[in-house]
Amino acid sequence: MAVDGGLLRCDGHLFKQMAEAGLAWLEANQERVNQLNVFPVPDGDTGTNMFLTMRKAYDEITDLDEPHIGKVSQKLSYGARLGARGNSGVILSEWLRGFAEALEDQAAFDSVLFAQACQRAVERSYKSVVSPVEGTILTVSRQAMEAVIERAKVEHDINVLFETKVQAAYESLRHTPDLLPMLKEAGVVDSGGQGWTFIIEGMLRSLRGEETRFSGAQAVAAQKTGWQDALVPEDEQGYGYDVQFLMRGEGLDVDSVRKAIADIGWSALVVGDPRLIKVHVHVHDPGVPISYAIQQGAAIDDVVVENMQQQYQSYVAHREARENQPPKVVEGVAVIAVTSGEGISRMFTDELGAASVVVGGQTMNPSIETFLNAIKALPNDEIILLPNNPNVIMAARQVVSLAEGKTVRVVPSRTIPQGVVAMFEYSNEHESGDIDAIAEAMTAALANVITIEVTTATRTTTLNGIYVRESQLIGLIDDQMAAAGDAFQPLLKTLLEKAGADKRELITLYYGDVITGAEAQTLSDQLAGDFAAQEFQIVNGGQPLYPYIVSIE
């Protein structure tokens, strides 16, 4: 209800429009949010996670013609909880849950109820985090709420309160680097806080009648597609070709080659030195990068050209066949592991004893609904979840209270190597049949491994005192930036030294989808020369984005 240009009450119909606008404005800006990732790794997915969470939420109300704000907010909250993925998505879903709880029996909200709902939303989101950290989405939403509560003491116009909320959110967002030194060092504000602010700003834009460049029908159509639709290539020419080769010569300019190859295609990886450069790139015409290399006066060899469109079609066929198979029969306590890469997925089910895997990890954090469907597909009553990724743990923990009729425990594995050592402990303890004892033993085993991850920097930055150039190789040790370099062997040698590998026994290299088995073996042999007392092994992981994941035990 509006009086003299002011909005005094908001009902379910108006709130639905605002939710759609919040979704639309987030979608329009999700890549900006993704780029705020602190680490310059190619898995900045905060914006995507929040968008997919909000999109699932809106899907629950898209056909709802309901004036009751309590019913609309409850449905929105339910959808968000099912669709929540990634830490930011889970916190967003809990914020919406708290907002809905405050309005459950209300037909509409006024300024007082709006302030109360904002407070309940913040309280719920803080409770969802085991160890809340300031300088994040939590801080931004809390300080915006505090501004609304103060303004609501004298202001009844909901338009004004939303303006106050958005202004306070941006002010809080601006100061997040002062609360988290890593944000300041990376030169970014908190990505989750920015995503949440875009949603609230979109709602305000709706109240003002401003454009958010999105159609609710598009959101619903996108939400109802399956993984098959998500994998369809956006380019009309298909996925193209995966091209790899070596350039040999004298005085080769690695930086110049890297830039040129990046301009020729996508997913470029160029590493090496003035005498030998490894090139990997995706293109529609394989002859272009090969011709470029020859034009630079380089001799080329070890040329590999793979048809990715055929690989895509084969993958779809194999995945459909796998998903149509009955679940693996495991007596007693079963394990569901989150994996990325065909080799790693097969290892967890065929060798390590997981009942099933959920495809996910970097850039594709599984939703709570995905976990629930995987649990439902198993006949087991007791199930352990292995997230194998720090951004999946919160979603996995939310599943515990939602899996009706099942007992679920979460072993908070942050990496694939941690998941592997946990599965060895699962094999040792499985016969006991005690889910809590098994989960406890698996959790204790996580400390027995150190994880190194090697990928390519997505931007130039300085982090942990390490200067990194865009497209340069970087290495993380247990989720912390540890080194940067231009070639795998010297970079991994440095990382292994920093990780104290000389005091361990076994080093395993899981090589990704841009590395051949021969290349991985050569690298392993080179590193073995520097770590003669350690045993080395290689595993075809097939994981994307990370050419090497290394386990040190």
PDB file of all heavy atoms in Angstrom, residues 58-59 76 91 95 112 130 187 192 204 258 334 344 378 384 404 412 432 454 457-458 507 515 517 526 537 540:
ATOM      1  N   TYR A  58      13.589 -18.835  -6.855  1.00  0.00           N
ATOM      2  CA  TYR A  58      12.530 -18.196  -7.638  1.00  0.00           C
ATOM      3  C   TYR A  58      11.681 -19.227  -8.375  1.00  0.00           C
ATOM      4  O   TYR A  58      10.481 -19.024  -8.585  1.00  0.00           O
ATOM      5  CB  TYR A  58      13.122 -17.192  -8.632  1.00  0.00           C
ATOM      6  CG  TYR A  58      12.050 -16.432  -9.389  1.00  0.00           C
ATOM      7  CD1 TYR A  58      11.378 -15.378  -8.790  1.00  0.00           C
ATOM      8  CD2 TYR A  58      11.684 -16.806 -10.674  1.00  0.00           C
ATOM      9  CE1 TYR A  58      10.367 -14.707  -9.455  1.00  0.00           C
ATOM     10  CE2 TYR A  58      10.673 -16.148 -11.352  1.00  0.00           C
ATOM     11  CZ  TYR A  58      10.018 -15.095 -10.734  1.00  0.00           C
ATOM     12  OH  TYR A  58       9.005 -14.446 -11.402  1.00  0.00           O
ATOM     13  N   ASP A  59      12.285 -20.320  -8.749  1.00  0.00           N
ATOM     14  CA  ASP A  59      11.548 -21.378  -9.444  1.00  0.00           C
ATOM     15  C   ASP A  59      10.363 -21.867  -8.606  1.00  0.00           C
ATOM     16  O   ASP A  59       9.334 -22.278  -9.144  1.00  0.00           O
ATOM     17  CB  ASP A  59      12.494 -22.531  -9.755  1.00  0.00           C
ATOM     18  CG  ASP A  59      11.835 -23.621 -10.589  1.00  0.00           C
ATOM     19  OD1 ASP A  59      11.106 -23.267 -11.532  1.00  0.00           O
ATOM     20  OD2 ASP A  59      12.037 -24.806 -10.291  1.00  0.00           O
ATOM     21  N   LEU A  76       9.900 -19.333  -1.263  1.00  0.00           N
ATOM     22  CA  LEU A  76      11.184 -18.836  -1.761  1.00  0.00           C
ATOM     23  C   LEU A  76      12.327 -19.424  -0.940  1.00  0.00           C
ATOM     24  O   LEU A  76      13.346 -19.872  -1.480  1.00  0.00           O
ATOM     25  CB  LEU A  76      11.206 -17.305  -1.688  1.00  0.00           C
ATOM     26  CG  LEU A  76      12.372 -16.611  -2.387  1.00  0.00           C
ATOM     27  CD1 LEU A  76      12.171 -16.605  -3.900  1.00  0.00           C
ATOM     28  CD2 LEU A  76      12.506 -15.169  -1.886  1.00  0.00           C
ATOM     29  N   ILE A  91      24.796 -19.610   2.822  1.00  0.00           N
ATOM     30  CA  ILE A  91      24.532 -18.452   3.693  1.00  0.00           C
ATOM     31  C   ILE A  91      23.352 -17.644   3.163  1.00  0.00           C
ATOM     32  O   ILE A  91      22.489 -17.194   3.929  1.00  0.00           O
ATOM     33  CB  ILE A  91      25.792 -17.581   3.819  1.00  0.00           C
ATOM     34  CG1 ILE A  91      26.891 -18.344   4.563  1.00  0.00           C
ATOM     35  CG2 ILE A  91      25.484 -16.272   4.545  1.00  0.00           C
ATOM     36  CD1 ILE A  91      28.229 -17.643   4.595  1.00  0.00           C
ATOM     37  N   TRP A  95      19.848 -16.893   5.040  1.00  0.00           N
ATOM     38  CA  TRP A  95      19.347 -15.522   5.200  1.00  0.00           C
ATOM     39  C   TRP A  95      17.874 -15.468   4.784  1.00  0.00           C
ATOM     40  O   TRP A  95      17.028 -14.911   5.500  1.00  0.00           O
ATOM     41  CB  TRP A  95      20.190 -14.557   4.366  1.00  0.00           C
ATOM     42  CG  TRP A  95      19.904 -13.113   4.633  1.00  0.00           C
ATOM     43  CD1 TRP A  95      20.556 -12.295   5.514  1.00  0.00           C
ATOM     44  CD2 TRP A  95      18.890 -12.300   4.021  1.00  0.00           C
ATOM     45  NE1 TRP A  95      20.007 -11.034   5.497  1.00  0.00           N
ATOM     46  CE2 TRP A  95      18.988 -11.006   4.589  1.00  0.00           C
ATOM     47  CE3 TRP A  95      17.917 -12.540   3.052  1.00  0.00           C
ATOM     48  CZ2 TRP A  95      18.134  -9.960   4.210  1.00  0.00           C
ATOM     49  CZ3 TRP A  95      17.067 -11.504   2.677  1.00  0.00           C
ATOM     50  CH2 TRP A  95      17.182 -10.235   3.242  1.00  0.00           C
ATOM     51  N   VAL A 112       8.189  -1.913  10.385  1.00  0.00           N
ATOM     52  CA  VAL A 112       8.605  -2.594  11.616  1.00  0.00           C
ATOM     53  C   VAL A 112       8.873  -4.072  11.354  1.00  0.00           C
ATOM     54  O   VAL A 112       9.907  -4.617  11.764  1.00  0.00           O
ATOM     55  CB  VAL A 112       7.531  -2.426  12.714  1.00  0.00           C
ATOM     56  CG1 VAL A 112       7.907  -3.246  13.955  1.00  0.00           C
ATOM     57  CG2 VAL A 112       7.372  -0.962  13.084  1.00  0.00           C
ATOM     58  N   VAL A 130      29.998 -22.281  11.174  1.00  0.00           N
ATOM     59  CA  VAL A 130      30.612 -22.827  12.384  1.00  0.00           C
ATOM     60  C   VAL A 130      31.471 -21.784  13.079  1.00  0.00           C
ATOM     61  O   VAL A 130      31.381 -21.577  14.291  1.00  0.00           O
ATOM     62  CB  VAL A 130      31.454 -24.073  12.042  1.00  0.00           C
ATOM     63  CG1 VAL A 130      32.173 -24.588  13.289  1.00  0.00           C
ATOM     64  CG2 VAL A 130      30.568 -25.173  11.461  1.00  0.00           C
ATOM     65  N   GLY A 187      43.338  -6.854  -3.411  1.00  0.00           N
ATOM     66  CA  GLY A 187      42.727  -5.703  -4.054  1.00  0.00           C
ATOM     67  C   GLY A 187      41.277  -5.912  -4.444  1.00  0.00           C
ATOM     68  O   GLY A 187      40.819  -5.385  -5.456  1.00  0.00           O
ATOM     69  N   GLY A 192      31.043 -12.674  -1.686  1.00  0.00           N
ATOM     70  CA  GLY A 192      29.719 -13.033  -1.199  1.00  0.00           C
ATOM     71  C   GLY A 192      28.915 -11.808  -0.795  1.00  0.00           C
ATOM     72  O   GLY A 192      27.716 -11.703  -1.071  1.00  0.00           O
ATOM     73  N   LEU A 204      15.542  -3.161  -4.887  1.00  0.00           N
ATOM     74  CA  LEU A 204      15.323  -1.716  -4.854  1.00  0.00           C
ATOM     75  C   LEU A 204      15.029  -1.174  -6.247  1.00  0.00           C
ATOM     76  O   LEU A 204      14.142  -0.320  -6.425  1.00  0.00           O
ATOM     77  CB  LEU A 204      16.548  -1.020  -4.261  1.00  0.00           C
ATOM     78  CG  LEU A 204      16.530   0.518  -4.285  1.00  0.00           C
ATOM     79  CD1 LEU A 204      15.339   1.051  -3.484  1.00  0.00           C
ATOM     80  CD2 LEU A 204      17.840   1.071  -3.734  1.00  0.00           C
ATOM     81  N   ARG A 258      52.538 -16.976 -25.087  1.00  0.00           N
ATOM     82  CA  ARG A 258      51.351 -17.139 -24.236  1.00  0.00           C
ATOM     83  C   ARG A 258      50.239 -16.198 -24.675  1.00  0.00           C
ATOM     84  O   ARG A 258      49.077 -16.592 -24.785  1.00  0.00           O
ATOM     85  CB  ARG A 258      51.728 -16.893 -22.770  1.00  0.00           C
ATOM     86  CG  ARG A 258      50.577 -17.098 -21.798  1.00  0.00           C
ATOM     87  CD  ARG A 258      51.017 -16.872 -20.355  1.00  0.00           C
ATOM     88  NE  ARG A 258      51.952 -17.905 -19.918  1.00  0.00           N
ATOM     89  CZ  ARG A 258      53.180 -17.661 -19.498  1.00  0.00           C
ATOM     90  NH1 ARG A 258      53.653 -16.426 -19.479  1.00  0.00           N
ATOM     91  NH2 ARG A 258      53.956 -18.645 -19.107  1.00  0.00           N
ATOM     92  N   ALA A 334      27.445 -46.396   3.859  1.00  0.00           N
ATOM     93  CA  ALA A 334      27.881 -46.086   2.493  1.00  0.00           C
ATOM     94  C   ALA A 334      28.494 -44.693   2.439  1.00  0.00           C
ATOM     95  O   ALA A 334      28.173 -43.827   3.258  1.00  0.00           O
ATOM     96  CB  ALA A 334      26.702 -46.181   1.528  1.00  0.00           C
ATOM     97  N   ILE A 344      39.440 -39.791 -11.425  1.00  0.00           N
ATOM     98  CA  ILE A 344      39.232 -39.684  -9.981  1.00  0.00           C
ATOM     99  C   ILE A 344      37.900 -40.310  -9.585  1.00  0.00           C
ATOM    100  O   ILE A 344      37.801 -41.005  -8.565  1.00  0.00           O
ATOM    101  CB  ILE A 344      39.316 -38.211  -9.546  1.00  0.00           C
ATOM    102  CG1 ILE A 344      40.764 -37.725  -9.647  1.00  0.00           C
ATOM    103  CG2 ILE A 344      38.800 -38.021  -8.132  1.00  0.00           C
ATOM    104  CD1 ILE A 344      40.961 -36.246  -9.387  1.00  0.00           C
ATOM    105  N   LEU A 378      20.340 -44.395  -2.843  1.00  0.00           N
ATOM    106  CA  LEU A 378      21.001 -45.514  -2.170  1.00  0.00           C
ATOM    107  C   LEU A 378      20.040 -46.231  -1.223  1.00  0.00           C
ATOM    108  O   LEU A 378      19.242 -45.583  -0.543  1.00  0.00           O
ATOM    109  CB  LEU A 378      22.211 -45.011  -1.370  1.00  0.00           C
ATOM    110  CG  LEU A 378      23.394 -44.465  -2.179  1.00  0.00           C
ATOM    111  CD1 LEU A 378      24.468 -43.952  -1.231  1.00  0.00           C
ATOM    112  CD2 LEU A 378      23.966 -45.527  -3.101  1.00  0.00           C
ATOM    113  N   ILE A 384      27.811 -41.509   4.699  1.00  0.00           N
ATOM    114  CA  ILE A 384      28.838 -40.501   4.972  1.00  0.00           C
ATOM    115  C   ILE A 384      29.092 -39.710   3.695  1.00  0.00           C
ATOM    116  O   ILE A 384      29.250 -40.286   2.619  1.00  0.00           O
ATOM    117  CB  ILE A 384      30.143 -41.152   5.462  1.00  0.00           C
ATOM    118  CG1 ILE A 384      29.924 -41.764   6.856  1.00  0.00           C
ATOM    119  CG2 ILE A 384      31.285 -40.147   5.500  1.00  0.00           C
ATOM    120  CD1 ILE A 384      31.107 -42.565   7.362  1.00  0.00           C
ATOM    121  N   GLU A 404      15.569 -37.112   5.222  1.00  0.00           N
ATOM    122  CA  GLU A 404      14.558 -37.792   6.028  1.00  0.00           C
ATOM    123  C   GLU A 404      14.730 -39.317   5.975  1.00  0.00           C
ATOM    124  O   GLU A 404      14.893 -39.899   4.908  1.00  0.00           O
ATOM    125  CB  GLU A 404      13.161 -37.409   5.546  1.00  0.00           C
ATOM    126  CG  GLU A 404      12.858 -35.918   5.685  1.00  0.00           C
ATOM    127  CD  GLU A 404      11.482 -35.573   5.192  1.00  0.00           C
ATOM    128  OE1 GLU A 404      10.762 -36.483   4.726  1.00  0.00           O
ATOM    129  OE2 GLU A 404      11.112 -34.380   5.265  1.00  0.00           O
ATOM    130  N   PRO A 412      34.698 -33.661   6.769  1.00  0.00           N
ATOM    131  CA  PRO A 412      34.997 -32.389   6.095  1.00  0.00           C
ATOM    132  C   PRO A 412      36.290 -32.377   5.280  1.00  0.00           C
ATOM    133  O   PRO A 412      37.183 -31.555   5.508  1.00  0.00           O
ATOM    134  CB  PRO A 412      35.056 -31.392   7.253  1.00  0.00           C
ATOM    135  CG  PRO A 412      35.549 -32.207   8.410  1.00  0.00           C
ATOM    136  CD  PRO A 412      34.913 -33.567   8.232  1.00  0.00           C
ATOM    137  N   SER A 432      33.082 -52.415  11.250  1.00  0.00           N
ATOM    138  CA  SER A 432      32.564 -52.137  12.600  1.00  0.00           C
ATOM    139  C   SER A 432      31.080 -51.787  12.556  1.00  0.00           C
ATOM    140  O   SER A 432      30.352 -52.016  13.528  1.00  0.00           O
ATOM    141  CB  SER A 432      33.331 -50.987  13.235  1.00  0.00           C
ATOM    142  OG  SER A 432      32.977 -49.744  12.639  1.00  0.00           O
ATOM    143  N   VAL A 454      48.085 -27.265  -8.512  1.00  0.00           N
ATOM    144  CA  VAL A 454      48.727 -26.393  -9.502  1.00  0.00           C
ATOM    145  C   VAL A 454      47.703 -26.000 -10.554  1.00  0.00           C
ATOM    146  O   VAL A 454      47.003 -26.856 -11.113  1.00  0.00           O
ATOM    147  CB  VAL A 454      49.925 -27.100 -10.174  1.00  0.00           C
ATOM    148  CG1 VAL A 454      50.497 -26.231 -11.292  1.00  0.00           C
ATOM    149  CG2 VAL A 454      50.999 -27.416  -9.146  1.00  0.00           C
ATOM    150  N   ALA A 457      47.004 -18.759 -13.153  1.00  0.00           N
ATOM    151  CA  ALA A 457      46.467 -17.522 -12.589  1.00  0.00           C
ATOM    152  C   ALA A 457      45.522 -16.840 -13.571  1.00  0.00           C
ATOM    153  O   ALA A 457      45.823 -16.730 -14.757  1.00  0.00           O
ATOM    154  CB  ALA A 457      47.600 -16.578 -12.212  1.00  0.00           C
ATOM    155  N   THR A 458      44.400 -16.372 -13.058  1.00  0.00           N
ATOM    156  CA  THR A 458      43.412 -15.703 -13.903  1.00  0.00           C
ATOM    157  C   THR A 458      43.600 -14.190 -13.930  1.00  0.00           C
ATOM    158  O   THR A 458      42.952 -13.507 -14.718  1.00  0.00           O
ATOM    159  CB  THR A 458      41.990 -16.005 -13.404  1.00  0.00           C
ATOM    160  OG1 THR A 458      41.887 -15.626 -12.022  1.00  0.00           O
ATOM    161  CG2 THR A 458      41.683 -17.492 -13.549  1.00  0.00           C
ATOM    162  N   ILE A 507      54.560 -39.665  -2.582  1.00  0.00           N
ATOM    163  CA  ILE A 507      54.108 -38.493  -3.331  1.00  0.00           C
ATOM    164  C   ILE A 507      53.338 -38.986  -4.554  1.00  0.00           C
ATOM    165  O   ILE A 507      53.880 -39.720  -5.390  1.00  0.00           O
ATOM    166  CB  ILE A 507      55.296 -37.614  -3.769  1.00  0.00           C
ATOM    167  CG1 ILE A 507      56.048 -37.107  -2.535  1.00  0.00           C
ATOM    168  CG2 ILE A 507      54.805 -36.439  -4.629  1.00  0.00           C
ATOM    169  CD1 ILE A 507      57.345 -36.381  -2.863  1.00  0.00           C
ATOM    170  N   ILE A 515      47.062 -32.903 -19.478  1.00  0.00           N
ATOM    171  CA  ILE A 515      48.370 -33.545 -19.328  1.00  0.00           C
ATOM    172  C   ILE A 515      48.284 -34.983 -19.820  1.00  0.00           C
ATOM    173  O   ILE A 515      47.307 -35.689 -19.544  1.00  0.00           O
ATOM    174  CB  ILE A 515      48.822 -33.536 -17.848  1.00  0.00           C
ATOM    175  CG1 ILE A 515      48.865 -32.102 -17.303  1.00  0.00           C
ATOM    176  CG2 ILE A 515      50.186 -34.208 -17.699  1.00  0.00           C
ATOM    177  CD1 ILE A 515      49.871 -31.198 -17.966  1.00  0.00           C
ATOM    178  N   GLY A 517      49.818 -38.949 -20.070  1.00  0.00           N
ATOM    179  CA  GLY A 517      50.474 -39.864 -19.154  1.00  0.00           C
ATOM    180  C   GLY A 517      51.989 -39.805 -19.278  1.00  0.00           C
ATOM    181  O   GLY A 517      52.706 -39.885 -18.271  1.00  0.00           O
ATOM    182  N   GLN A 526      61.605 -36.685 -13.025  1.00  0.00           N
ATOM    183  CA  GLN A 526      62.454 -35.530 -12.727  1.00  0.00           C
ATOM    184  C   GLN A 526      62.409 -35.186 -11.243  1.00  0.00           C
ATOM    185  O   GLN A 526      63.445 -34.932 -10.619  1.00  0.00           O
ATOM    186  CB  GLN A 526      62.013 -34.329 -13.562  1.00  0.00           C
ATOM    187  CG  GLN A 526      62.269 -34.475 -15.048  1.00  0.00           C
ATOM    188  CD  GLN A 526      61.630 -33.357 -15.858  1.00  0.00           C
ATOM    189  OE1 GLN A 526      60.691 -32.707 -15.402  1.00  0.00           O
ATOM    190  NE2 GLN A 526      62.127 -33.138 -17.065  1.00  0.00           N
ATOM    191  N   GLN A 537      54.284 -41.887  -7.446  1.00  0.00           N
ATOM    192  CA  GLN A 537      53.361 -42.584  -8.328  1.00  0.00           C
ATOM    193  C   GLN A 537      52.492 -41.555  -9.040  1.00  0.00           C
ATOM    194  O   GLN A 537      52.314 -40.433  -8.553  1.00  0.00           O
ATOM    195  CB  GLN A 537      52.489 -43.575  -7.551  1.00  0.00           C
ATOM    196  CG  GLN A 537      51.559 -42.965  -6.525  1.00  0.00           C
ATOM    197  CD  GLN A 537      50.730 -44.026  -5.797  1.00  0.00           C
ATOM    198  OE1 GLN A 537      51.080 -45.197  -5.772  1.00  0.00           O
ATOM    199  NE2 GLN A 537      49.626 -43.611  -5.217  1.00  0.00           N
ATOM    200  N   ASN A 540      45.992 -41.030 -13.366  1.00  0.00           N
ATOM    201  CA  ASN A 540      45.240 -40.254 -14.356  1.00  0.00           C
ATOM    202  C   ASN A 540      43.934 -39.791 -13.720  1.00  0.00           C
ATOM    203  O   ASN A 540      42.940 -40.508 -13.692  1.00  0.00           O
ATOM    204  CB  ASN A 540      44.963 -41.110 -15.599  1.00  0.00           C
ATOM    205  CG  ASN A 540      44.195 -40.337 -16.668  1.00  0.00           C
ATOM    206  OD1 ASN A 540      43.917 -39.150 -16.522  1.00  0.00           O
ATOM    207  ND2 ASN A 540      43.856 -41.012 -17.745  1.00  0.00           N
TER     208      ASN A 540
END
